[in-house]
Amino acid sequence: MRPLIYDLDLAELEAELTALGQPGFRAKQIWVAIYQKLKTSPEEITTLPKPLREALAERYSFQALEPVKRIESADGLTVKDLFRLHDGFPVEAVLMYYEERRTLCISSQSGCAIGCSFCATGQMGFKRHLTSGEIVAQVLYYARLLAETEQRITNVVVMGMGEPFLNFDNTMSALDRLNHPEGFGLGARRLTVSTVGIVPGIIKFADAETQYNLAISLHTVDNEFRSSLIPVNRKYSVEEILNACRYYIQKTSRRITFEYALIDNINDSTKDADALVRKIRGMMCHVNLIPLNPTTGYSGQPTQADKVQKFSEVLEANGIPCTVRLRRGIEIGAGCGQLAAEELSNFD
Ligand code: SAH
Ligand code: SF4
């Protein structure tokens, strides 16, 4: 199989073009064409000499994802696509239209090995890591879709299928391509990575000293309960995760986001809120409360609005800013944790 053009960083592409006897500026020209002008094949890059276009077409694949199925929410504000990778594995991405923002949620793996009980991706198991190019290609796909109506992607969150810090290098190199001025050119602060709490990943992320946002899926500060929801908590406890977060904040001076899925009568009492406050007080952080989205493999139910309100009041009374995540795309299986490819059986 030909290598995917989106898998190459700029230096790699430059080296390949030099080997083809091309001048130095060609690599940037190609990047601008594919990442900014959103060209889908070398034939469309008419600024390049014809022989080079042909050489590119022979050497590289420009097609990372085959769209299989699109579902839209009734209000049209959430769109989910199921794609097939070249080897048949499924991957999903979700576009959410807000007033000003166009936020795209992308996947870092096909499936996920962590196996969180409440998460549909966890329930489907691990298929494989995505390459950096396959991660970037999800963004390009939607950028082209939005360009049809002169709109743009404003934010990208790596919160779809998979645990990005178990596919660290490919995720970081995808983010670099999305952020690079000659690449997709999205500001670092518009890019967010969410992790279940892979401590070495958090440390490496802090040490990379980028301006990308970091979100941690905490959900509870009770280790015993957290381990029952999120098996990897046995390896990286709440305290170890929070220490890594403190290191990140100290190193980057950036605010961290804690995600907390509220499960009816499970982790949503004011006592639970107090316990959370005790653990994170004083940290530069923000809490995102997400009423649980239902999945077939988990019986927990979402917390009702009045109780969500009480929980958030406890946090705010203690000086911890928090927001309640709008529940979007639930009925189309595009909410958080619902990215299980229903058609998976077709691929196996
Ligand atoms: N693996 C990473 C990123 C993908 S999961 C992580 O776990 O952070 C994206 C987010 O969706 C996480 O915060 C996850 O905890 C949350 N999530 C998963 N299943 C959910 C569900 N059923 N309801 C609400 N949030 C869920
Ligand atoms: Fe994987 Fe995140 Fe789902 Fe857990 S919540 S199974 S880490 S995708």
Side-chain angles (χ1 to χ4, degrees), residues 17-293:
L17 288 159
T18 309
L20 287 175
Q22 292 292 324
F25 62 86
R26 288 284 184 226
K28 282 187 180 160
Q29 211 178 359
I30 294 169
W31 263 38
V32 169
I34 58 184
Y35 294 124
Q36 294 176 17
K37 308 228 185 289
L38 305 173
K39 305 287 185 201
T40 55
S41 72
E43 297 84 69
E44 290 174 30
I45 315 177
T46 47
T47 47
L48 300 177
K50 194 148 186 284
L52 177 57
R53 278 185 261 159
E54 286 165 1
L56 289 175
E58 259 167 43
R59 280 182 167 70
Y60 299 105
S61 163
F62 283 68
Q63 165 90 25
L65 307 168
E66 184 196 330
V68 176
K69 188 175 177 186
R70 168 168 305 159
I71 330 179
E72 274 181 45
S73 62
D75 59 13
L77 297 179
T78 308
V79 179
K80 175 172 92 160
D81 282 85
L82 171 66
F83 304 96
R84 207 193 309 260
L85 300 168
H86 70 86
D87 50 7
F89 287 117
V91 66
E92 293 184 334
V94 184
L95 177 65
M96 288 156 286
Y97 293 80
Y98 297 95
E99 249 161 57
E100 301 284 316
R101 283 173 296 140
R102 303 284 174 269
T103 301
L104 181 64
C105 175
I106 59 172
S107 298
S108 55
Q109 301 177 317
S110 176
C112 184
I114 301 285
C116 302
S117 54
F118 55 91
C119 168
T121 308
Q123 291 158 14
M124 74 182 256
F126 179 66
K127 304 299 167 190
R128 74 160 167 87
H129 293 303
L130 301 192
T131 67
S132 59
E134 288 168 337
I135 299 172
V136 169
Q138 297 167 58
V139 178
L140 297 178
Y141 178 85
Y142 285 96
R144 290 181 199 123
L145 178 77
L146 285 174
E148 288 171 14
T149 48
E150 288 176 24
Q151 301 180 75
R152 282 166 187 273
I153 292 172
T154 61
N155 301 76
V156 173
V157 296
V158 188
M159 280 192 197
M161 281 184 180
E163 170 46 50
F165 283 176
L166 292 185
N167 187 18
F168 190 87
D169 292 347
N170 290 348
T171 299
M172 291 304 273
S173 112
L175 291 171
D176 181 63
R177 235 149 286 157
L178 294 174
N179 175 234
H180 199 290
E182 256 93 34
F184 192 68
L186 201 59
R189 289 164 185 241
R190 294 166 176 273
L191 297 164
T192 301
V193 184
S194 171
T195 178
V196 73
I198 306 296
V199 168
I202 300 171
I203 304 288
K204 271 201 278 181
F205 192 76
D207 287 338
E209 296 190 49
T210 64
Q211 296 292 306
Y212 309 139
N213 302 302
L214 179 60
I216 307 281
S217 301
L218 201 55
H219 307 317
T220 172
V221 291
D222 178 315
N223 276 307
E224 201 176 319
F225 172 56
R226 195 168 188 275
S227 297
S228 75
L229 282 181
I230 305 173
V232 76
N233 190 71
R234 293 197 185 89
K235 191 162 177 191
Y236 305 118
S237 67
V238 169
E239 290 70 28
E240 287 171 278
I241 295 170
L242 293 178
N243 280 338
C245 291
R246 288 189 187 93
Y247 176 74
Y248 167 87
I249 295 167
Q250 182 205 346
K251 190 95 202 214
T252 63
S253 306
R254 305 229 55 212
R255 176 189 298 264
I256 226 163
T257 297
F258 292 113
E259 289 162 288
Y260 195 108
L262 286 164
I263 314 170
D264 188 36
N265 280 329
I266 300 284
N267 64 350
D268 61 352
S269 68
T270 50
K271 254 183 152 172
D272 294 312
D274 284 329
L276 175 62
V277 166
R278 280 197 298 277
K279 286 282 186 190
I280 65 173
R281 197 175 0 223
M283 290 174 81
M284 202 159 73
C285 69
H286 173 266
V287 174
N288 214 337
L289 298 172
I290 316 155
L292 184 82
N293 293 325

